[in-house]
Amino acid sequence: MRGHLAIPADAGPRPGVLVFPEGYGLSDQAILRAERIASEFGYVALACDLHGEARELGGLEEVLQKLEPLQKSSACVRGRVVPAYDALLAQPEVDPAKVGAIGFCFGGTMALELALTGRDIGAVVGFHSGLALTAPQDAPNIKAAILLLLGADDPSIDAEQRLLFEQTMREAKVRWEMHVYGGVRHSFTNPRAHERGLPDWLRYDPVADRRSWNAMRAFLDEIWAAPDGGTTATIVMP
C-alpha cells in the first residue's frame, strides 16, 4: 500500500490527518486534498492507498467488485484503515495526540470505520460519505468528534440513512454534526465526477465544495491549531 504524505514546511510535531479517497482508489484528487491540508492548514496529511500500488480503478463495475468485501466485513475494511493510521503515527512530524481522518464517498465510510475501532483520533470528516457501517454496535468505541457534509439530493445517502446514523450516534453519545446542502448531489467535491459517464446524480458543485471545505477547516481549527506552509513526500505503508 503506497500512500502520499504531505508535510508542512515548518518544523515540529503537527496534527496528522488521514485522507481516504473515493472508491476508485488513490487519485490526483485525494493527493491534492492532502497537499492543501498541509499548505493551508499546516497539518501533516497522508492520502491513503485503497487498492495497492497506488492504483486508481477505471470502471464502476470494477470498483463495486473491489468494494464489496470492504462494505460487508469489519475485519476487511479495518485491515486497510488501521495500517494507514499506524503509518501516519509513525511519522516523526506527527503529534500522536492530534490525529484525525477525513474521506470522500466510500473514503468517508473508511474514516468512520477507523473511529469504530476505538483508535485515539480527535476528528472524523466525511464528504458525501457513505453511512452504512459494518458494525454500528461498535459506535460506543468512538472517541472522535464527527462532521458529515452531505448533499440533500444524493439518492445514495437519503434522509432515512441520515436519520438512522443520527440515532446510532445519539445512542452512543458521540459528538457529531451534519451539514446537508440543498440541491446538491453525490461527489460534489470532485470536479471530474461527470467524466466517467456515471449517473446524473453524481455531479460536482463548486459552491458546496467550497462551503464544505471551509466547514471542515473550522471544525478542525476548533480541535487543533497549526500554522501554514507545506512540502510533500511519498511513503510506503506496511
Side-chain angles (χ1 to χ4, degrees):
M1 306 297 284
R2 305 183 69 88
H4 181 91
L5 189 71
I7 307 170
D10 294 339
R14 300 303 183 89
V17 178
L18 295 164
V19 180
F20 291 110
E22 294 179 305
Y24 286 93
L26 185 58
S27 63
D28 291 343
Q29 176 74 357
I31 291 171
L32 175 61
R33 297 290 177 162
E35 301 262 6
R36 288 184 62 187
I37 288 171
S39 62
E40 295 177 16
F41 300 3
Y43 305 153
V44 179
L46 175 60
C48 301
D49 197 356
L50 181 53
H51 302 298
E53 299 299 329
R55 284 180 297 159
E56 183 180 8
L57 304 181
L60 182 59
E61 184 175 344
E62 184 181 10
V63 170
L64 295 176
Q65 181 182 11
K66 294 287 188 182
L67 292 186
E68 184 176 6
L70 299 173
Q71 294 170 323
K72 293 182 177 181
S73 168
S74 296
C76 190
V77 68
R78 295 177 190 185
R80 302 286 175 92
V81 298
V82 172
Y85 170 83
D86 292 342
L88 181 63
L89 259 63
Q91 306 310 308
E93 299 86 0
V94 173
D95 181 347
K98 298 179 179 180
V99 175
I102 75 169
F104 300 84
C105 189
F106 184 70
T109 310
M110 296 181 75
L112 292 168
E113 289 283 349
L114 177 62
L116 289 173
T117 69
R119 293 308 193 276
D120 191 13
I121 55 177
V124 165
V125 182
F127 295 84
H128 41 91
S129 170
L131 303 180
L133 306 174
T134 59
Q137 68 272 16
D138 289 345
N141 296 335
I142 295 174
K143 298 176 181 177
I146 293 175
L147 171 63
L148 295 172
L149 305 158
L150 308 173
D153 291 356
D154 181 349
S156 68
I157 313 168
D158 58 21
E160 183 178 354
Q161 292 184 60
R162 298 197 299 266
L163 179 59
L164 179 61
F165 185 87
E166 176 184 338
Q167 292 172 340
T168 301
M169 295 298 104
R170 180 180 291 115
E171 291 170 3
K173 302 186 184 306
V174 175
R175 177 188 165 190
W176 68 277
E177 58 188 270
M178 187 181 297
H179 298 191
V180 181
Y181 301 101
V184 175
R185 291 170 277 186
H186 194 63
S187 293
F188 61 81
T189 64
N190 190 343
R192 297 175 53 199
H194 66 286
E195 293 181 3
R196 301 179 188 267
L198 297 176
D200 187 59
W201 51 268
L202 292 96
R203 280 294 178 272
Y204 177 61
D205 188 301
V207 175
D209 183 16
R210 182 181 69 253
R211 289 179 177 175
S212 62
W213 187 258
N214 290 338
M216 178 186 71
R217 179 163 195 170
F219 183 71
L220 296 180
D221 280 351
E222 184 179 310
I223 298 172
W224 311 306
D228 295 335
T231 59
T232 62
T234 299
I235 67 167
V236 178
M237 291 161 33

